[in-house]
Amino acid sequence: MAAIMTNSKPPNNTEAGPDPPNLRRLTRFFLPLAIQAASQSLCYPLVAMVATRGPGGPLDLAGLAQSNTVLFFLGMFAISLVPTGMVFARTREGYRQFYRVSITAGICASAAQGLFCIPGISHLLFGRLIGLPPSIEAPAQISLLASIPLQMLFFSRIPYFVVMYLGQATGIASLATVGRVALTALLSPLFCLVGWVGPIWAVVALTVPVGIEAMVSWAFARPFIKSQPRDPLNAPRLGELFLFTLPLTIGGYFLSLSTILLAGIIARAPEPERMLPVYYLALGLASPVAFAGTRLQTIVLAFPPADRHRRQTLRFAVAAGFLLGLLPLVFILPGPAEFYYVRLQNLNPNDLEWIRQTASVLVLLPLAVALRAQSEGLATWRKKPLIVLCGHAVFLLTASATGIASLNAGVPGCLIGAASLPIGSLASSATMRLALKKKVSPLPI
């Protein structure tokens, strides 16, 4: 708890201190971020028990996972806004401009999601483009419609998180999210107990805690907003924020699109109605720790990356990614595997071996993501979002090519995605590092 509550008071300024970020300092800063990121993703395995107890069983979960993929794809601007805010929202005027961009982007993303819920367009997306069988397409369509309010709530939290990150109050920022997870953990079994099950109720179990999280984050962020310095002469323009965020967003779309394409590849492998649920159940535990690895980008932006800082954060990324990758392996051991996957997630016991193989491959995902995120942070700090965009494009190409090659080689569907994601992240990180060494010109904004 001491680590979580570190730096709970608003600092006098928003710049990172001059001292080099040693291992202890990085750990104290990263731990609340990791808890926040991992706990955000843990909400999805928690509500999985609500979805899998619906009429379609694990097929309802696969449909919910597909709708969540589209949700995140449309809301990618929200994720890209975090590094933008870390760079530009360091003054009162910069924060106000950043807040306007965040809310406007949320309205646009929610409206776009509504268009994808129109029956003809929805079938074109899920049934024709992704190639889902009807048993998975139906829950995907209905859960995408139900999650429109969730999309707007995601955007509304971003400015509050950013201003607390800039104040290096990662512990305070994580408390609201931990509370959200605790409430989700209470609602999910409660919904199962009273019979509120299926993909729609799973979305409800996700949305209510996020709404409360947004309100609590607003209350936590108010002191940090009030303590920001004023600099009206150097306030960033809305167009400047947009042009900086746009390449990051397009790159994020590449990341999200890769997951949709991989789902389409897996759907075309043998036994898709068996392999897709196995893949998503294993990924449901690997994703939280991998998402925690993305917070390496925030660390780089919080501690200005001089040469010694860059080396420190790189070493920290390797250590953190390796340790994070080991955590989900606990659930493939005899006992925990039967309890979590069979009893809680309603998996066929005959598919446990596929789960173990998929989880063993996914152990590399958090390490690869941490390395990619550290590279993204270096490029973002130097205001070179085009390098991030290039790295994400390489991720999309590499992950897709690996998936297609694996499909043609007869690799089981659940292992196709498990192998393609870390390979794509490693290729992306290598691309960004090479571009930074060549000193590519920054984006003119």
Side-chain angles (χ1 to χ4, degrees), residues 51 57-70 126 132-133 135-144 199 276-277 280:
L59 298 178
D60 281 345
L61 173 62
L64 176 65
Q66 282 298 319
S67 71
N68 284 338
T69 299
V70 177
F126 290 115
L132 297 179
S135 56
I136 299 179
E137 178 185 353
Q141 291 175 337
I142 191 63
S143 55
L144 183 64
L276 276 170
Y280 281 120

Side-chain angles (χ1 to χ4, degrees), residues 121-137:
I121 299 177
S122 181
H123 175 67
L124 179 65
L125 171 64
F126 290 115
R128 304 292 292 275
L129 179 61
I130 300 179
L132 297 179
S135 56
I136 299 179
E137 178 185 353

Side-chain angles (χ1 to χ4, degrees), residues 20-105:
N22 55 33
L23 178 61
R24 181 179 179 182
R25 189 178 178 192
L26 289 173
T27 302
R28 287 168 66 88
F29 187 87
F30 175 73
L31 182 58
L33 285 176
I35 293 173
Q36 184 184 42
S39 58
Q40 284 177 341
S41 297
L42 279 174
C43 290
Y44 301 96
L46 287 172
V47 301
M49 68 177 70
V50 179
T52 55
R53 281 165 173 75
L59 298 178
D60 281 345
L61 173 62
L64 176 65
Q66 282 298 319
S67 71
N68 284 338
T69 299
V70 177
L71 172 80
F72 299 144
F73 180 79
L74 295 174
M76 188 57 62
F77 206 89
I79 300 176
S80 305
L81 282 170
V82 173
T84 300
M86 295 289 290
V87 174
F88 290 100
R90 294 175 175 265
T91 64
R92 184 76 64 87
E93 294 77 14
Y95 175 82
R96 288 173 179 171
Q97 294 288 72
F98 176 66
Y99 182 86
R100 293 189 185 103
V101 171
S102 300
I103 297 303
T104 301

Side-chain angles (χ1 to χ4, degrees), residues 270-348:
E271 299 184 281
E273 293 186 344
R274 182 184 185 190
M275 291 296 139
L276 276 170
V278 166
Y279 170 64
Y280 281 120
L281 282 173
L283 190 63
L285 292 180
S287 289
V289 290
F291 193 46
T294 65
R295 293 314 195 226
L296 264 297
Q297 183 189 48
T298 305
I299 286 183
V300 173
L301 295 174
F303 299 95
D307 289 342
R308 66 183 187 279
H309 295 190
R310 183 169 62 248
R311 291 191 293 269
Q312 282 288 82
T313 57
L314 176 59
R315 287 193 288 266
F316 187 82
V318 173
F322 176 76
L323 292 175
L324 289 171
L326 296 178
L327 296 179
L329 296 184
V330 173
F331 291 91
I332 66 173
L333 298 175
E338 287 77 9
F339 174 77
Y340 176 75
Y341 288 111
V342 178
R343 293 185 59 185
L344 290 184
Q345 304 296 3
N346 202 24
L347 179 74
N348 188 327

